[in-house]
Amino acid sequence: MMDKTTIVNEYLGDIKFYGQLVGMWPDQKRFAKYSMRIIIFVIITLTNVAQTSRIVVYYSLDNLTDQMPFLLLGLTTLLKEFNYVLNEEKLRVLLNGIVSDWLTERPKEELEILKAYSKKALIFAFIYKASIWFSVFMFLLLPALPPILDIVAPLNASRERILVYPSYYFVDEQEYYYPILAHMVFSAFILAYVFIACDLNLIHIVQHACALLTISGYRFKHAMDEADFYERKYNGTRTVDKTYAKVVQSIDAHKKATEYVKKVEACHVHYFLLLVGIIIMVFTVTFVKLASVEMGSTYLTFSAFTLSQTIHLLFLTIMGQCVIDSHEETFQKIYEAQWHNGSAKAQSLYVLVLRQCLNARKLTGGGMITLDLNSFVQVSHSILRNRPREASQSNDRTVFRF
């Protein structure tokens, strides 16, 4: 028999690990939780101050476009962290809901559904963690390029050392290179931990919502398995009462699933809207740079930005698409049930549930942007269609057309 600790360690272990690192795990001790939050806030704020200082001290349009993606990335980090800080109780309810549903006594088939979606969440989590760490290490490798090139293609003098991202620390960057680099590396790891901790929460609660919807569809589909029109007509109401009770239980499961989806959206509704807006801004700025910059470390940096933000946006829309697909699968299972063998009361309940499924809840950004793959395609198409074209004319340097 599983208890809460076993379920958390087996199915929510990655959420707990990363959540504790950034002060986001609801059951974490208060001192550790607030300490981690303060450290993250101070480090990211200092990072943004250093980046803003570079814009102010060396203001130009090029410097502004160089700096904007990194500033927006720092803003995204704070947005992710404090969304779950401000919605800590909502997150606690959602995570406790997962544990509670695992502790509930269920038929074997429903447990298999929960396990299947839990495995799906772990796969999504692994892919997302791998993409985040890959993006972070791509940036952390940038300072290693000059020493490597000095060995592979040496010049008369050593190449100038470069930083992870452009900033201004009010000191000589070459003299204090390693302390500055240490701060940048620390900031990069904090960013990775915050992104992973926040989005693992989203992965697990969304997949659990999909599992609850699937369970409700399974109940509806099999509620009428024992019902038979002729048996109901000639052998009394015993079977009728039994199947009607199963339909009522199915409705309760569906109501619980839709309420859980509603709670997921309530925890992220403004967060999704702001996040998609920031991603679009980052896309716009990076395409401006990629359209005009020559091949080199800057080009590789903004290419990495484009790739990582594409993955980030795709991940968000896939989570929303999972909810939509689960609603559609539930509708299909309800429709495929042998509802015509049930009593008039049971049939009316099926009709009402099918009608409700037509207005199923979705994950949206402030009710303005629906998170699905269609939105991903539309955003991507809009950005690519409006990308800068003036840099397509070549000059003395090598440029690339996008």
Side-chain angles (χ1 to χ4, degrees):
M1 183 68 179
M2 292 190 296
D3 57 10
K4 180 178 179 180
T5 303
T6 303
I7 292 171
V8 169
N9 292 334
E10 184 172 352
Y11 298 105
L12 303 177
D14 50 355
I15 294 181
K16 181 179 179 180
F17 174 74
Y18 284 98
Q20 289 179 333
L21 287 177
V22 299
M24 199 180 297
W25 180 247
D27 297 330
Q28 189 175 3
K29 292 183 179 180
R30 185 180 296 270
F31 176 77
K33 182 190 299 184
Y34 284 97
S35 296
M36 295 308 301
R37 291 175 182 178
I38 292 172
I39 291 172
I40 290 172
F41 178 76
V42 170
I43 295 296
I44 298 300
T45 300
L46 290 176
T47 300
N48 287 344
V49 168
Q51 294 173 5
T52 304
S53 299
R54 184 174 180 271
I55 297 175
V56 174
V57 175
Y58 303 109
Y59 179 77
S60 69
L61 186 58
D62 283 341
N63 283 339
L64 179 62
T65 54
D66 283 344
Q67 209 70 59
M68 281 301 295
F70 298 98
L71 278 172
L72 293 172
L73 190 60
L75 180 62
T76 302
T77 305
L78 293 177
L79 172 64
K80 284 179 173 290
E81 173 79 11
F82 286 98
N83 174 67
Y84 287 104
V85 170
L86 296 175
N87 293 293
E88 181 176 358
E89 287 305 315
K90 294 179 180 179
L91 178 62
R92 187 194 306 274
V93 170
L94 289 168
L95 295 179
N96 286 341
I98 296 177
V99 175
S100 176
D101 288 329
W102 273 103
L103 292 175
T104 302
E105 187 176 351
R106 297 176 178 277
K108 179 181 177 181
E109 293 79 7
E110 293 185 10
L111 286 175
E112 290 300 321
I113 292 174
L114 285 176
K115 289 179 181 180
Y117 277 94
S118 179
K119 290 180 181 178
K120 189 176 180 181
L122 292 176
I123 293 173
F124 273 123
F126 175 80
I127 295 173
Y128 187 77
K129 287 186 290 186
S131 65
I132 291 294
W133 284 120
F134 175 75
S135 300
V136 169
F137 285 119
M138 281 185 66
F139 282 98
L140 295 182
L141 284 175
L142 290 176
L145 289 178
I148 294 174
L149 291 176
D150 285 340
I151 298 174
V152 176
L155 301 175
N156 294 330
S158 298
R159 291 175 172 83
E160 184 177 357
R161 292 177 293 190
I162 60 177
L163 299 173
V164 179
Y165 51 82
S167 293
Y168 182 70
Y169 286 84
F170 299 96
V171 294
D172 188 318
E173 291 183 355
Q174 297 303 313
E175 182 179 353
Y176 294 91
Y177 177 76
Y178 290 107
I180 293 174
L181 183 63
H183 173 257
M184 291 184 169
V185 171
F186 193 42
S187 299
F189 275 97
I190 285 179
L191 180 146
Y193 287 135
V194 171
F195 267 64
I196 292 174
C198 294
D199 292 337
L200 288 189
N201 281 322
L202 182 61
I203 289 173
H204 281 273
I205 60 181
V206 165
Q207 293 306 313
H208 186 69
C210 295
L212 294 180
L213 287 168
T214 302
I215 288 173
S216 70
Y218 171 84
R219 288 188 180 183
F220 274 113
K221 184 174 182 179
H222 296 281
M224 294 292 180
D225 285 353
E226 298 180 7
D228 183 87
F229 177 80
Y230 295 101
E231 181 180 355
R232 173 171 61 85
K233 185 174 181 180
Y234 296 109
N235 295 336
T237 61
R238 185 175 179 181
T239 303
V240 173
D241 293 339
K242 186 177 180 179
T243 56
Y244 183 79
K246 288 184 177 180
V247 175
V248 172
Q249 292 176 354
S250 303
I251 291 176
D252 290 340
H254 188 262
K255 182 179 179 181
K256 181 179 180 180
T258 54
E259 285 295 322
Y260 193 88
V261 174
K262 183 179 179 180
K263 292 176 183 178
V264 174
E265 186 182 17
C267 188
H268 301 86
V269 58
H270 301 300
Y271 164 79
F272 284 146
L273 181 61
L274 293 173
L275 198 56
V276 171
I278 291 174
I279 292 174
I280 292 174
M281 292 173 65
V282 171
F283 268 129
T284 303
V285 176
T286 52
F287 274 113
V288 168
K289 295 301 296 184
L290 286 173
S292 58
V293 74
E294 62 183 4
M295 186 64 172
S297 61
T298 303
Y299 184 87
L300 294 177
T301 298
F302 283 94
S303 296
F305 247 118
T306 303
L307 176 62
S308 61
Q309 290 305 313
T310 301
I311 293 173
H312 191 198
L313 180 61
L314 180 61
F315 157 77
L316 291 176
T317 54
I318 284 178
M319 291 300 103
Q321 187 67 48
C322 286
V323 174
I324 294 174
D325 291 344
S326 294
H327 275 299
E328 292 178 351
E329 290 173 7
T330 301
F331 179 90
Q332 188 64 29
K333 288 180 179 179
I334 296 173
Y335 182 77
E336 291 173 355
Q338 302 296 317
W339 52 268
H340 49 272
N341 288 332
S343 64
K345 289 195 302 181
Q347 292 178 8
S348 63
L349 291 180
Y350 270 85
V351 172
L352 290 175
V353 175
L354 286 171
R355 180 63 183 85
Q356 186 181 22
C357 287
L358 296 177
N359 299 317
R361 299 197 68 88
K362 303 176 182 178
L363 298 185
T364 65
M368 300 171 60
I369 302 174
T370 300
L371 294 185
D372 57 13
L373 291 178
N374 183 53
S375 296
F376 173 78
V377 172
Q378 288 181 350
V379 170
S380 302
H381 176 71
S382 177
I383 293 172
L384 290 172
R385 183 181 59 192
N386 297 315
R387 68 191 184 277
R389 302 176 183 274
E390 53 272 5
S392 60
Q393 299 176 356
S394 63
N395 36 28
D396 300 27
R397 55 190 181 178
T398 305
V399 295
F400 296 83
R401 169 176 269 171
F402 281 84

